[in-house]
Structures are given as C-alpha cells and as structure tokens.
C-alpha cells in the first residue's frame, strides 16, 4: 500500500466486484476500508469456488482477493436495530460511505444519503449503479455483462462484421474498470471537501463506464449518424496496423500508424526488401488501394516462421509492435516484473500468489499489497475501536448481530 490516502476511512456496504474494487483501490492508496458483510452469508463471491462456479487452487479465491485486498471485514447484520446502530457508529468515524445497494434497499435499510448524512454531515456518499441514478432503469440491478458489455455497446463493437455472436465478456471486465472510476471520483470529492468543506454524492454506473470506454465509436456514430464500419482483418485500411499469425500459432500486433515512416525497415526485417519499392505497396495510398492483397502477402510471410524468429527479427524496431500474450504469460513478463505490476502476497493459509496492482503508482514506487480479509476477521477489533466493551460484543454475537 501507499500512504496518499492514509488517515481516511471508507465504510463499504457492497458485494461482488464492481463497487468493492473501488474500495480495493482506495485501500491500495492507504485508506482504511471497512468491508461490511452479513454474518451468515458474507460477500456472495466467497462461495463461488466452493460451489464450483470458478476454479480455485489451495483455497485461494481470486474473486475475493482481487477486489478486497487490504481491507478489514466486520460481520454485521445491518437489518437489525443493533446492527444498524453499529453501522452508524462506523459511519460517524468515516470519510466515505461506499455502496452498491439498490435505491429501494437503501431506503428500506435506512442507509440512504439522508440517513447517513444525518449521522455524519461531511461524509462522501458514493454509489455504484448498473444504469445510473435517474431514469426508468435506476432501480434495476446490473452486472457488467449486461449493463456495460451489452447495453453500453462494447459487445457489439467486438462482434464479427458478418453478424455472428458477440464474444462473451471476460470475468469482471467492466467491474474493475468501473471500480477504478469510482475510486477516482471519491478522491476528487475528498479534494473538493478539503478545499470547500462541502461533501459530494459520487455516482458511477457501468453503463456510463462503457460509454466512456467506447467513446470514440459512440461519439463518431453520433457525428456520422450511423455506426462506424467494422473492418475484417483482411481489409484493414492500413495493413501495417493489424494482427499477424506465426507458424506456431502465435500472434503479433503491429501499430504502424505512420506507415510510410516505418515501411522500409518493416519490409527489411521481414526479409522482403522488394516490397519497399513494389508499386502496389510503395506508400500509404497504394497500400490502402491494394490492402487485401498486401495483407494476404504479409500473412504468408509471418506464417512461414515461428514467433521466436519474428521476435529476434523485430528486436530494436522503432515502430510499435508486440506479441499477443496470454494471461498466464503476463506473470513472467520482464516489464511487468520490473515495474511491480503483479505484487505478490500471502493469505492466511500461507498460500503465495500475485494480485493485479491498480494502475497508478506514486513516486515510482510499486504497490505492496496485503491479502483480503477473512469473513468477519476484524469484527472484534472494530467493535473495540468503537468503544464496545467485551461483554457487549459477546451479547451482539449471541444475538447473531455480528460474527
């Protein structure tokens, strides 16, 4: 962790990944994030591995560890009067209240903005939504596959140009990005409060996150009055901005936006200097006209050699290119290792594993992360900090108010 938000406290009444990942980022930056979990069920993601829905190894639940590292957990039944009172005592000590509860649930439980502000007028109130705080869909729940990938247009953007099914979103793809946006909004609201004394309500929706992510396509579609065209890889306007498959089934990504600048060196490294002066490909305009033929020829060249050959051939090349890597290969990437982008931690059972660092470093210092808390691991400590004597804590446990 870093210390840029040291001294700030976040009370997080949220589950799954989207909003909890915002709390993880704030914890990465030094905030004290207190995760509220029901005494019996906890965060539903705690049960994904035991239910067989996601793979696990040695009891490491990456669906809990990634969005909950560095937090403290209290098992608390906020539906009871005693539990709500404990929650509000925590709220009184906090700078931020973070939740993904739907509007009706917030009102029914007595944790909406007016309820929380009645106990702490200066608190930042942050809400994660599927579709936003207004409109007909404001009361609807949302997961990123529906709210972000589907309704936000991203799935269609990656659908085949021939009308085939869109690709299925990877796990928590929009959640983690949306959580980073919430964390950024909260940090800006804290800065505003420091300068003006006024707290803010911070809202981030998965739908809006998708619109921002796909902004070039969506803004362009509005300007043109139609969706932007999708080019199959065989018809890319610039053949030097494309993916090429090697003999051993790997892929190279080239992004030579200034094609004429790099074309001669590109062709030389391909072992085909004859293409430099070929009238069909001699400049960007010619390559555009003859793009399908050019791409076909480049595909044949790349397919004739293995990845190792092309990595050596393009070593030191000034144009932008890289290898399409798998998630497992990222762990061994020397650039990832050098920058500390996958810091390692150890869980309560001494299992060591890597976590994905949130993508902001301060003072060129990689994050040092700690594991996610066990279900209700810090209940006694937090109740003690609030001034509850041991007998009262035991009484709350007997009543199943806390874990």
């Amino acid at each position: 962790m870093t210390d840029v938000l040291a001294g700030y406290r976040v009370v997080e009444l949220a589950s799954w990944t989207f909003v909890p990942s915002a709390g993880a980022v704030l914890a990465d930056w030094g905030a004290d994030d207190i995760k509220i979990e029901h005494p019996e069920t906890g965060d539903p993601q705690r049960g994904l591995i035991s239910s067989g829905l996601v793979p696990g190894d040695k009891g490491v639940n990456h669906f809990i560890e990634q969005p909950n590292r560095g937090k403290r957990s209290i098992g608390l039944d906020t539906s009871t009067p005693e539990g709500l009172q404990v929650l509000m005592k925590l709220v009184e000590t906090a700078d931020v209240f973070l939740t993904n509860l739907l509007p009706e649930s917030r009102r029914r439980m007595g944790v909406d903005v007016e309820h929380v502000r009645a106990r702490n007028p200066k608190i930042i109130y942050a809400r994660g939504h599927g579709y936003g705080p207004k409109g007909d869909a404001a009361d609807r729940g949302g997961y990123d596959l529906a709210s972000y990938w589907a309704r936000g247009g991203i799935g269609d953007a990656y659908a085949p140009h021939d009308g085939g099914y869109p690709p299925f979103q990877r796990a928590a793809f929009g959640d983690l990005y949306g959580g980073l946006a919430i964390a950024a909004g909260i940090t800006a609201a804290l800065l505003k409060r420091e300068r003006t004394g006024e707290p803010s309500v911070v809202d981030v929706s998965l739908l809006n996150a998708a619109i921002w992510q796909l902004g070039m396509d969506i803004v362009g579609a509005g300007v043109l009055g139609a969706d932007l065209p999708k080019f199959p890889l065989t018809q890319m306007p610039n053949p030097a901005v494309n993916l090429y498959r090697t003999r051993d089934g790997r892929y190279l990504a080239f992004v030579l936006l200034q094609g004429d600048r790099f074309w001669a060196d590109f062709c030389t490294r391909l072992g085909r200097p004859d293409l430099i002066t070929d009238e069909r490909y001699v400049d960007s305009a010619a390559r555009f006209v003859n793009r399908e033929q050019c791409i076909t020829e480049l595909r044949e060249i790349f397919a004739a050699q293995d990845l190792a050959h092309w990595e050596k051939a393009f070593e030191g090349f000034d144009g932008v290119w890289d290898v399409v890597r798998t998630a497992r290969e990222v762990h061994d990437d020397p650039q990832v290792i050098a920058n500390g982008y996958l810091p390692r931690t150890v869980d309560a059972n001494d299992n060591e594993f890597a976590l994905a660092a949130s993508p902001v470093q301060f003072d060129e210092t990689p994050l040092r992360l700690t594991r996610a808390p066990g279900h209700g691991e810090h209940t006694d400590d937090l109740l003690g900090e609030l001034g509850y004597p041991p007998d009262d804590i035991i009484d709350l446990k007997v009543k199943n108010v806390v874990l």
Side-chain angles (χ1 to χ4, degrees):
M1 298 182 209
T2 185
D3 61 357
V4 295
L5 289 183
Y8 290 99
R9 172 171 283 186
V10 180
V11 171
E12 176 189 311
L13 185 59
S15 57
W16 301 104
T17 299
F18 171 34
V19 174
S21 69
V25 174
L26 297 173
D28 287 354
W29 297 345
D32 177 21
D33 186 289
I34 300 171
K35 183 178 180 67
I36 311 296
E37 301 189 67
H38 191 276
E40 294 183 5
T41 60
D43 189 319
Q45 291 203 136
R46 291 191 182 276
L48 290 183
I49 285 182
S50 61
S51 68
L53 290 177
V54 299
D57 182 55
K58 299 177 182 178
V60 177
N61 186 343
H62 55 282
F63 276 79
I64 282 292
E65 294 292 345
Q66 177 61 23
N68 293 289
R69 74 286 191 94
K71 301 177 183 179
R72 296 198 285 171
S73 169
I74 179 172
L76 182 62
D77 185 354
T78 56
S79 68
T80 66
E82 297 96 332
L84 183 60
Q85 178 64 12
V86 172
L87 175 63
M88 288 304 174
K89 283 182 176 292
L90 286 169
V91 163
E92 290 172 353
T93 71
D95 299 280
V96 179
F97 184 80
L98 176 61
T99 187
N100 65 353
L101 291 175
L102 293 173
E104 176 55 33
S105 294
R106 297 196 306 266
R107 289 189 290 267
R108 184 181 68 255
M109 293 174 62
V111 295
D112 216 343
V113 177
E114 64 269 22
H115 306 119
V116 171
R117 287 268 173 86
R119 298 296 288 264
N120 185 343
K122 294 297 184 180
I123 201 165
I124 307 299
Y125 194 104
R127 305 179 292 205
H129 310 266
Y131 301 98
K134 299 178 181 179
D136 293 341
D139 292 336
R140 288 179 57 186
Y143 289 106
D144 57 345
L145 174 60
S147 311
Y148 173 89
W149 189 258
R151 190 157 181 170
I154 294 179
D156 178 74
Y158 286 102
H161 70 283
D162 60 3
Y165 271 84
F168 203 80
Q169 179 198 268
R170 300 303 297 170
F173 195 71
D175 287 339
L176 294 171
Y177 170 68
L180 182 65
I182 297 175
I186 288 171
T187 305
L190 289 171
L191 177 61
K192 174 196 168 187
R193 192 184 67 176
E194 292 294 323
R195 290 181 170 180
T196 69
E198 294 299 319
S200 300
V201 174
V202 176
D203 288 304
V204 175
S205 73
L206 290 166
L207 176 59
N208 197 173
I211 291 170
W212 171 255
Q213 183 88 65
L214 199 64
M216 293 301 185
D217 278 38
I218 290 176
V219 173
V223 171
L224 298 175
D227 289 323
L228 273 64
K230 297 178 184 177
F231 297 102
L233 294 179
T234 55
Q235 298 177 22
M236 293 293 285
N238 179 354
V241 178
N242 212 333
L243 299 172
Y244 290 99
R245 185 173 180 171
T246 64
R247 184 170 61 188
D248 51 349
R250 301 305 301 272
Y251 290 89
L252 297 162
F254 286 88
V255 195
L256 310 185
L257 295 173
Q258 297 171 288
D260 291 341
R261 174 183 173 187
F262 299 109
W263 184 249
D265 192 15
F266 179 70
C267 295
T268 301
R269 291 169 183 269
L270 289 176
R272 290 292 303 276
D274 58 296
L275 297 179
I276 299 172
T277 55
D278 189 315
E279 63 180 13
R280 298 169 300 169
Y281 315 135
V282 69
D283 57 26
S284 294
R287 289 192 293 276
F288 174 77
V289 172
N290 299 291
R291 58 191 180 277
E292 291 190 61
Q293 188 174 0
C294 183
I295 291 169
T296 297
E297 194 153 359
L298 292 176
R299 282 187 167 189
E300 292 174 354
I301 295 169
F302 280 108
Q305 300 288 346
D306 291 343
L307 174 62
H309 170 87
W310 295 119
E311 286 183 301
K312 184 176 181 180
F314 282 92
E315 185 176 353
F317 181 51
D318 287 339
V320 175
W321 71 283
D322 222 315
V323 180
V324 177
R325 301 292 187 189
T326 69
R328 178 60 190 86
E329 287 175 329
V330 171
H331 285 263
D332 302 318
D333 188 319
Q335 195 66 18
V336 172
I337 295 169
N339 286 281
Y341 292 155
L342 282 172
R344 300 188 71 80
T345 191
V346 178
D347 69 10
N349 297 315
D350 293 327
N351 295 309
E352 183 179 336
F353 54 94
L355 291 168
S358 50
V360 178
Q361 287 186 359
F362 300 93
D363 304 313
E364 298 184 3
T365 303
L367 293 170
R368 294 169 57 187
L369 304 181
T370 58
R371 63 176 175 84
H375 181 197
E377 179 179 345
H378 303 95
T379 297
D380 288 7
D381 292 342
L382 288 165
L383 290 175
E385 290 175 16
L386 293 175
Y388 283 86
D391 287 347
D392 288 356
I393 296 175
I394 293 173
D395 182 58
L396 290 172
K397 289 185 176 183
V398 170
K399 295 178 179 177
N400 295 320
V401 175
V402 301
L403 173 65

